[in-house]
Every structure is written in C-alpha cells, then in structure tokens.
Amino acid sequence: MLEVSQRGRAMPVSPYRKLTPFADEAKQRGVHVYHLNIGQPDIETPPAMMAAVQQADIRVLEYSPSAGSVSYRQKLAAYYQRAGMNVVPDDILVTSGGSEAIFFAMMSCLNPGDEVIVPEPFYGAYTAFAIATTVNIVPVTSTMDEGFALPAISEFEKVITPRTKAILICNPNNPTGYVYSRTELEQMRDLCLRHNLYFLSDEAYREFCYDSEYFSAFQLEGAEEHVVLLDTVSKRYSACGARLGALVTKNKQLQATALKFAQMRVSAPGLSQLMGEAATELPDSYFEHTKAEYTARRDLMVSRLRAMPGVYCPVPGGAFYVVARLPVDDSEKFCQWLLEAFTYDNQTVMLSPGAGFYATPGLGNDEVRLAYVLNLDDLNVALTCLEKGLAAYPGRKHAPEETAVLQEAKA
C-alpha cells in the first residue's frame, strides 16, 4: 500500500482554514458567513498597483532574476530607507510571498534538528514551516494577562541549548497584535549576540501600529550579521493574492545561501513585481487612511468583545487581530458549532480556534483569534452573531454571577 511521507502526516492543518469545509457547507445551506478567521482585508487594493499590470506593455512574460528584478529591488530599498532602515538593493531577495521568505530563512539559517525559539502564541504557519524544514520550535509563552508582552529574557535563556540557532518574532504580532518596543528588541538583540543566534523578524504588519511609532529589528545597531527581515506586500497594500515578499539581510553569506533556494524555484512572479514597484510610489496618505480605518475597526471589536459576558481581550497595538478568551468548554468545538448548528438571522461567523497558535499542548483551548478585516457595518453584525452564539452555546462556561442567576431562575 502506498503511504504518504511522515513529514506530510505531521504537517498540521491551518488553524485559520481548518474549519473551511464547515463554512462551505453553511454557505450551501444559504447561511451568510462572516469571515473573521483569516487576515484577508476588504480594503481595496490600490488602483495604481492594478494599473501597473493592466497597462504594462509586455510581449513575452519572462523569468525575472532569481533575486528579483533590479528595478523593484531598487524601489523597495528606497521604501525601506524612507522607513529609517539602512537597506540597499543587494540586501534584498524578492520572494513569492512572505511565506517563501520564512521558508528560505529557515532553510538557510538552520540545520535539520536545530531549534528556533518563538514567543507564543505565534503565527500558526510557523509550525508548518518548521515541520517542512525539520526544525524544532521551542516556545516561550506570553500571557493574555500581561497583554502578550515579551516574556522576560531569562525565560529565553532557560531554553537555549547547543541546538538553538535562531529567535523568530512577528512584529506587530500575529495573532495577538502586540507591538514589541525598542527596548524589547534591544534585549532580544543582546541575547542573539551573546549566544550567536540569528534574529528573524517577520514584519508583515509594519505599517499598522496604532498607539506608538514602529521600530524595526533592522534598525538595531551592532546586529547586522544576525538580523533577517521577513516581509510581504500582502497586508500592507491589501494585496494578498500578489504573493510578493522579501527576505532582507546584510549577512552576505546568508544572502548568497538564500539565493540558491531562490534559484531552485527560478523566480518570483514578474507581474507582481510590477505591482510592487507601483506600491513603493504610493503617497504616505495611503497609510493614513488605512490606519484610521483599522483603528476604528479595532476599537469597535475590542469594545464589543469586552461588553460580552465572560469575554476578555487585551487591546492590540498593531496588525489587525485580537486574541480573546471565551467562556466556552473548547474553542474549536465552539467555532465548529457556530458553522454547523447556529445562525442568527440566517447569519453566522467564522473564527480561528486559539490552540493552533500555540506549541505548548493545552494552551489556547478557550481562546480564539479574530481578524478585524471587515468594514465597520459587517464587523458589527459579525460580532452580534458571536454574542448571540455565545449565549446559545450548549458548552458555555458560566461565570459565578451567571450561575447564581440561573439557579435562582430554576428555583
């Protein structure tokens, strides 16, 4: 009998897509599903990006250089320079989405069996990348009660072994929305220098910081050989389908190594690089509008969640996600129940169960990640669906005051 690979059997299902079959079945029944499960913004992709492809005079759609087209890398370097980063075109390897940048980084920085330390909860796909590259994730847990702030550096020190080769962060964080401060980044830099580790910084949401100025790991002094910036246009410009990202490092040996992996897949999408060039020329006002919109969505989501009995969430400082603790027996069961058995005015909501964002067994079982990627009207309706669903869910955990009211009603 033919068998699939052990690697394939170990590969997890995406925590934000795993319930898609249940959402599809709900839609087939005529139920409207509001998607708060995945970071797919409904904000319009900048028309200038679309026009760059529509108006291109191309007779033959050729391969681009494996590192990316020279013109795009030049314009992308200028974008980073405007953001305060000392980046030149040769520091940039253009990738097929941020996902490929993460994959190339793991393949280039770590050997099979090596360890990468990641604060949890973390972007769910990191687990899949680690399995694909036969690397082990070592989690250091941040807690909701602390707002998902960076754990003490001593907690990182405790788990460093001879197999530890890198630290990986997402800043602003997916799924928590936490924004690491300059002080926290400097602490991680010092740790990487002490133990000779790579510092991998996934900065997909750089433009979306709502309460403070953003500071990039690439701006850290004295760590040029250690820092690897992982980036994408997907969220920044609401262009997820472009599949255009970048791996940025001043480490020449690492850059040359990553290029060999890039040559393996030949080139990043040529049409997307045209879109990327157009994106680098957008005015700053583009981000002023999108930040204002996401700030309003965040404030609505947090206020609505905190008004629901038994629900708690911190206020995220960036990105467009909230991790919330729910009064339910099991968040995955609850999320599936919302799609299988619940409707409110023939509508329901799709969420991402929290456990898929942790490596430590048992954590996240009463948490969900919600993406505030819908316009305010739709977001408000989706949160009403969630509120009604929580009230009706058979596995709801009642707070002591709710239990007392129920017992009095029964009496």
Side-chain angles (χ1 to χ4, degrees):
M1 179 180 175
L2 290 175
E3 294 185 354
V4 299
S5 68
Q6 293 179 353
R7 185 187 296 108
R9 289 196 294 272
M11 186 67 67
V13 179
S14 165
Y16 35 87
R17 291 182 181 265
K18 68 186 302 180
L19 298 179
T20 297
F22 302 102
D24 290 343
E25 290 173 4
K27 292 173 186 176
Q28 290 173 3
R29 297 193 303 270
V31 177
H32 183 88
V33 179
Y34 289 98
H35 285 273
L36 302 184
N37 60 299
I38 192 166
Q40 173 55 67
D42 67 355
I43 289 176
E44 181 184 21
T45 305
M49 293 180 68
M50 306 303 294
V53 174
Q54 295 162 350
Q55 298 171 9
D57 183 13
I58 299 174
R59 295 179 63 86
V60 178
L61 187 58
E62 299 176 334
Y63 292 124
S64 63
S66 294
S69 70
V70 174
S71 59
Y72 179 46
R73 286 187 291 127
Q74 288 174 335
K75 291 182 178 180
L76 188 57
Y79 155 80
Y80 288 125
Q81 291 164 13
R82 291 193 299 272
M85 297 180 233
N86 179 23
V87 176
V88 298
D90 285 347
D91 298 333
I92 299 171
L93 175 67
V94 179
T95 59
S96 299
S99 297
E100 191 175 71
I102 298 167
F103 179 73
F104 285 175
M106 286 193 174
M107 291 293 287
S108 301
C109 296
L110 297 101
N111 292 314
D114 280 348
E115 297 169 351
V116 55
I117 300 174
V118 189
E120 67 177 355
F122 51 73
Y123 175 45
Y126 290 163
T127 300
F129 288 121
I131 291 171
T133 58
T134 59
V135 166
N136 297 316
I137 286 180
V138 177
V140 176
T141 306
S142 61
T143 66
M144 185 178 294
D145 293 339
E146 296 293 328
F148 295 113
L150 184 74
I153 290 298
S154 59
E155 296 302 307
F156 289 80
E157 295 270 14
K158 289 178 184 177
V159 297
I160 291 177
T161 74
R163 302 296 297 186
T164 307
K165 294 298 189 297
I167 292 175
L168 169 61
I169 66 165
C170 182
N171 187 34
N173 186 270
N174 175 5
T176 68
Y178 184 80
V179 179
Y180 295 107
S181 68
R182 179 172 184 161
T183 298
E184 290 171 322
L185 291 172
E186 289 174 342
Q187 290 174 341
M188 285 187 276
R189 173 203 60 193
D190 294 346
L191 180 69
C192 290
L193 293 176
R194 281 199 302 276
H195 296 276
N196 198 32
L197 308 176
Y198 287 107
F199 188 8
L200 311 180
S201 185
D202 180 350
E203 301 185 4
Y205 304 90
R206 179 187 307 107
E207 251 72 31
F208 305 126
C209 295
Y210 312 117
D211 306 314
S212 59
E213 291 295 319
Y214 186 69
F215 188 80
S216 169
F218 216 83
Q219 295 171 283
L220 293 167
E221 296 181 359
E224 289 78 8
E225 293 294 300
H226 297 258
V227 173
V228 184
L229 171 63
L230 310 170
D231 209 357
T232 176
V233 306
S234 291
K235 315 300 178 163
R236 185 171 302 133
Y237 304 109
S238 192
C240 299
R243 309 314 304 134
L244 185 66
L247 183 155
V248 187
T249 182
K250 288 195 168 296
N251 186 316
K252 298 302 182 186
Q253 182 180 17
L254 176 58
Q255 187 67 258
T257 300
L259 179 60
K260 290 189 284 187
F261 288 105
Q263 290 171 340
M264 174 187 69
R265 58 81 163 116
V266 185
S267 65
L271 294 178
S272 293
Q273 291 179 71
L274 294 178
M275 298 178 72
E277 287 190 37
T280 63
E281 298 172 350
L282 289 169
D284 291 342
S285 59
Y286 171 75
F287 294 112
E288 292 172 4
H289 167 75
T290 52
K291 281 181 67 173
E293 176 65 20
Y294 282 128
T295 301
R297 295 179 183 190
R298 176 197 67 168
D299 294 346
L300 172 64
M301 177 169 279
V302 170
S303 64
R304 288 291 311 272
L305 288 171
R306 288 183 163 185
M308 298 178 193
V311 177
Y312 175 73
C313 70
V315 179
F320 38 63
Y321 305 102
V322 173
V323 173
R325 183 185 298 132
L326 304 183
V328 297
D329 56 352
D330 182 276
S331 61
E332 184 166 335
K333 290 180 182 178
F334 172 66
C335 292
Q336 184 172 330
W337 175 85
L338 285 172
L339 298 169
E340 278 192 310
F342 171 80
T343 62
Y344 174 71
D345 286 345
N346 204 38
Q347 303 167 109
T348 192
V349 60
M350 186 174 180
L351 314 173
S352 293
F357 300 95
Y358 288 87
T360 302
L363 294 184
N365 287 336
D366 60 351
E367 296 174 2
V368 293
R369 187 196 72 171
L370 306 94
Y372 44 96
V373 291
L374 303 182
N375 65 74
L376 291 170
D377 290 339
D378 285 350
L379 186 59
N380 212 25
V381 176
L383 291 167
T384 296
C385 287
L386 173 59
E387 183 175 21
K388 299 293 185 180
L390 282 169
Y393 180 53
R396 177 184 174 87
K397 290 183 176 179
H398 294 286
E401 60 272 18
E402 291 180 291
T403 301
V405 171
L406 289 170
Q407 290 175 342
E408 183 177 337
K410 289 180 179 179

